[in-house]
């Protein structure tokens, strides 16, 4: 990695934002890259917003400012959309179409934003965008985070190789969860976007 990078992971409570952060931090440590993390927890027990900023490189904090994110991993589309101010033209984004409806939508006081339009907007504004329209049915939703991480390792600007992330999973995840996480990670890595249904 030639320069400092900032990664932002966003979603809602229960989607494994902290779990994903721990894997990425371990990958940085295994790579001898200085790393720092800044996490913001909302009402995570009630599906509140959770974000994790990861700074990679010398004197690079996990604090995220406007236009400060190089790589965004969005576990929930609406929360991904809320992160637009943190992106810049060279940012890379990966996010999935797994919606956690906020109260206003459930109460029919508002409509959930059009995710396809949002994905198209990002493609016009950012360097590289991967949108997972539909996750494979064989994967439990609690592991969508690991699936996205697997696919992220194939993107141009992701700072770690698939091999380094696999090593980090082996180091940080214990028991039966390790095997499942590695399987889902590899499914994400090999996922063919061209096979997504329109």
């Amino acid at each position: 990695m030639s320069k400092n990078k900032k990664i932002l992971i966003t979603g809602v409570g229960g989607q494994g934002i902290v779990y994903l952060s721990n894997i990425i931090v371990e990958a940085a440590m295994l790579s001898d890259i200085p790393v720092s993390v800044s996490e913001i927890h909302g009402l995570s027990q009630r599906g509140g917003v959770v974000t994790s900023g990861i700074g990679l490189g010398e004197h690079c904090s996990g604090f995220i400012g406007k236009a400060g994110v190089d790589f965004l991993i969005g576990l929930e589309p609406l929360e991904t959309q809320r992160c637009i101010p943190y992106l810049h033209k060279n940012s890379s984004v990966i996010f999935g179409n797994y919606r956690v409806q906020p109260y206003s939508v459930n109460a029919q006081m508002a409509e959930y934003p059009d995710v396809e339009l949002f994905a198209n907007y990002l493609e016009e504004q950012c360097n590289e965008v991967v949108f997972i329209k539909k996750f494979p049915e064989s994967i439990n939703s609690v592991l969508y985070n690991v699936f996205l991480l697997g696919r992220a390792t194939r993107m141009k600007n992701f700072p770690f190789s698939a091999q380094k992330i696999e090593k980090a999973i082996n180091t940080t995840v214990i028991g039966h969860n390790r095997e499942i996480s590695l399987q889902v990670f590899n499914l994400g890595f090999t996922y063919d976007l061209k096979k997504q249904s329109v």
Side-chain angles (χ1 to χ4, degrees), residues 22-28 30 162-173:
N22 290 340
I23 292 172
I24 292 173
V25 167
E26 182 65 20
L30 290 169
Q163 292 77 16
K164 193 65 72 173
I165 295 293
E166 282 184 330
K167 191 172 181 181
I169 291 172
N170 274 308
T171 305
T172 58
V173 184

Side-chain angles (χ1 to χ4, degrees), residues 3-15:
K3 63 176 183 176
N4 292 353
K5 284 188 183 291
K6 294 208 178 192
I7 298 173
L8 180 62
I9 306 170
T10 187
V12 300
Q15 289 192 295

Side-chain angles (χ1 to χ4, degrees), residues 84 87 115-126 129:
I84 286 176
L87 301 174
V115 181
E116 292 274 357
L117 283 178
F118 173 56
N120 292 338
Y121 169 81
L122 286 178
E123 287 175 358
E124 293 173 358
Q125 302 296 323
C126 297
V129 177

Side-chain angles (χ1 to χ4, degrees), residues 29-183:
M29 293 172 65
L30 290 169
S31 304
D32 293 323
I33 296 172
V35 59
S36 63
V37 182
S38 174
E39 296 171 356
I40 298 174
H41 299 263
L43 298 172
S44 58
Q45 295 297 321
R46 300 182 182 177
V49 62
V50 180
T51 60
S52 178
I54 303 171
L56 300 171
E58 290 287 343
H59 312 297
C60 187
S61 76
F63 175 78
I64 304 293
K66 287 188 176 179
V69 170
D70 299 299
F71 205 100
L72 173 63
I73 301 174
L75 303 182
E76 202 285 330
L78 184 56
E79 296 309 325
T80 305
Q81 189 168 333
R82 293 187 210 275
C83 292
I84 286 176
Y86 301 117
L87 301 174
H88 53 78
K89 66 179 182 178
N90 291 319
S91 296
S92 297
V93 181
I94 183 168
F95 74 109
N97 193 17
Y98 179 69
R99 307 177 192 189
V100 180
Q101 308 277 23
Y103 170 77
S104 57
V105 173
N106 284 331
Q108 298 182 340
M109 296 186 299
E111 290 186 10
Y112 197 96
D114 188 314
V115 181
E116 292 274 357
L117 283 178
F118 173 56
N120 292 338
Y121 169 81
L122 286 178
E123 287 175 358
E124 293 173 358
Q125 302 296 323
C126 297
N127 179 36
E128 184 180 13
V129 177
V130 170
F131 171 44
I132 304 298
K133 296 178 185 178
K134 187 176 180 181
F135 289 90
E137 293 180 3
S138 61
I139 301 173
N140 189 310
S141 61
V142 299
L143 289 169
Y144 287 169
N145 55 353
V146 179
F147 181 89
L148 285 173
L149 183 60
R151 186 58 185 79
T153 60
R154 286 177 53 196
M155 295 173 70
K156 290 179 287 189
N157 292 325
F158 193 71
F160 301 106
S161 67
Q163 292 77 16
K164 193 65 72 173
I165 295 293
E166 282 184 330
K167 191 172 181 181
I169 291 172
N170 274 308
T171 305
T172 58
V173 184
I174 59 173
H176 182 61
N177 291 331
R178 178 190 298 148
E179 183 182 340
I180 295 173
S181 293
L182 287 169
Q183 288 174 0

